[in-house]
Amino acid sequence: MLIGLVGKPSCGKSTFFKAATLADVLIAAYPFATIKPNHGVGYVRVDCLCMEKKVKCNPQKGYCINGLRFVPVELMDVAGLVEGASEGKGLGNQFLDNLTNADAFIHIVDISGETDAGGKETKGYNPINDVEMLENELDLWYLGILKKVWRTFARTIQNTKADFAKSVASQFSGLKVVEEDIKKVVRKLSYNTEKPNEWTDEQLLAFAHSLRHISKPMIIAANKCDRPSASENLKNLKKAYPEVTIIPCSADSELALREASNHGLIDYVPGSKDFKIIGNLNSKQRGALEAIRENVLNVYGSTGVQEVLDKTVFGLLKYIAVFPAGAHKLADSKGNILPDCFLVPNGSTALDFAAAIHTDLAKNFIKAIDCKTSRAVGKEYKVKHRDGLEIITR
Ligand SMILES: Nc1nc2c(ncn2[C@@H]2O[C@H](COP(=O)(O)OP(=O)(O)OP(=O)(O)O)[C@@H](O)[C@H]2O)c(=O)[nH]1
Ligand SMILES: [Mg+2]
């Protein structure tokens, strides 16, 4: 799974990325600080099975703190996007193409209204403009990809009477559009799929829009919520986009807390509503951390960064987390207890889960044992969030 961080310059993409991954990336108060995409690993939170099974787990990927399991997901931070990007403005198409194989986008919006459309410092800017701009540019980007091949592609479909949804899915597989989604889109638009060659430009744009919506679902991280002007802008944005999940966050605060925690200055678990000072702080450090407590944690309940990631994976993408759980004290062959936790799409079967662990496990699958009930389940069993399953093979 790959999650792309998108947004205009200086909205805080790299700060969010660094807070989530602790990778060493450039953060700067000038536009287009990031040029080449940054790849890194962030984490989503799952209640680990170790608590209810009363065992001490040994995660081989990610980590577990007091029964909260942090499961890795891949994140990508890209260059800032400006109006006209789909035609090459700013850093243009080049980085949009970096985003083709993302499964979802987190749109980082500067909710403080203190940067303009180009990412330069200003006051009283309306962040609603940024959402309109980004949505529009992403649609035009999809349209450009479709248009490059559409006439030839549509003619071939018409001449060979090929299945429309299947053909689109295979032609644009790089965008991660799937057959089912295409069927849904054309049903909604009620287009004639036997004659795609006759679609008008407007029809093609509407198709690009729906395809983009469905293949790159998006959540909004209303960043810089620590700033005084944020709450009013947040209210207005939520009113303008009632159907979108909008989560206030302060990437800068999360980064400060994570770094302080890494240096042993505070006790802080990502996503929590508070932290405890445990090290020797100078008055400047103490003041900065207390300001985060007062302006962010006490107001919004957390910095929001962890919530954005969790909601993207479990809400937007509807994934669930499943643990491989060996028969002997839930351990793998090396004795690691609950070594892994896999993220799989909701609706996955026990066989899909086995395949996610290793293709051999799926090939030689006999049954799976549910560690909570000790019952055997078959190939077709629909796995549930926080199941622990041992795969039995031939
Ligand atoms: N107050 C506040 N400032 C923030 C926050 N997040 C980022 N910033 C500041 O916003 C500026 C831009 O941050 P970056 O993370 O470099 O922004 P970006 O979106 O990656 O920018 P480009 O790479 O140029 O597109 C920096 O000065 C950050 O310190 C936040 O949560 N609160
Ligand atoms: Mg950046």
Side-chain angles (χ1 to χ4, degrees), residues 271-339:
S272 11
K273 60 180 190 309
D274 208 356
F275 60 87
K276 205 166 109 203
I277 293 172
I278 52 170
N280 288 326
L281 299 174
N282 61 37
S283 63
K284 199 171 151 217
Q285 288 170 321
R286 187 178 289 269
L289 291 173
E290 289 302 345
I292 292 173
R293 175 143 47 206
E294 194 179 315
N295 301 330
V296 179
L297 300 178
N298 290 350
V299 179
Y300 295 100
S302 77
T303 69
V305 170
Q306 189 61 53
E307 195 184 341
V308 167
L309 293 173
D310 294 347
K311 286 245 165 87
T312 303
V313 170
F314 300 120
L316 193 68
L317 289 170
K318 300 193 178 59
Y319 270 58
I320 55 175
V322 184
F323 297 78
H328 184 66
K329 293 185 179 159
L330 310 173
D332 64 10
S333 57
K334 296 187 193 92
N336 295 310
I337 297 171
L338 295 169

Side-chain angles (χ1 to χ4, degrees), residues 7-17 26-35 77-81 108 110 112 114-115 223-227 249-254:
K8 75 177 182 187
S10 299
C11 59
K13 297 177 295 300
S14 298
T15 310
F16 187 103
F17 178 82
L26 176 66
I27 292 171
Y30 54 83
F32 298 115
T34 305
I35 296 173
D77 164 38
V78 296
L81 191 136
I108 314 273
D110 179 348
S112 72
E114 290 169 342
T115 49
N223 193 34
K224 310 196 189 181
C225 74
D226 50 286
R227 302 293 300 149
C249 79
S250 172
D252 198 40
S253 304
E254 178 70 13

Side-chain angles (χ1 to χ4, degrees), residues 376-394:
V377 294
K379 266 183 192 169
E380 299 303 324
Y381 168 76
K382 290 258 186 332
V383 292
K384 297 192 297 296
H385 186 52
R386 299 185 61 254
D387 264 351
L389 295 177
E390 182 196 6
I391 309 292
I392 311 290
T393 53
R394 274 197 285 274

Side-chain angles (χ1 to χ4, degrees), residues 17 34 42 73 79 82 102 129 138 144 189 196 201 238 280 286 339 360 366 376:
F17 178 82
T34 305
V73 290
V82 288
N129 298 339
L138 294 178
L189 295 170
D201 276 2
K238 282 186 170 172
N280 288 326
R286 187 178 289 269
D360 283 350
I366 297 176

Side-chain angles (χ1 to χ4, degrees), residues 57 263 267 278 393:
C57 62
H263 287 105
D267 209 351
I278 52 170
T393 53

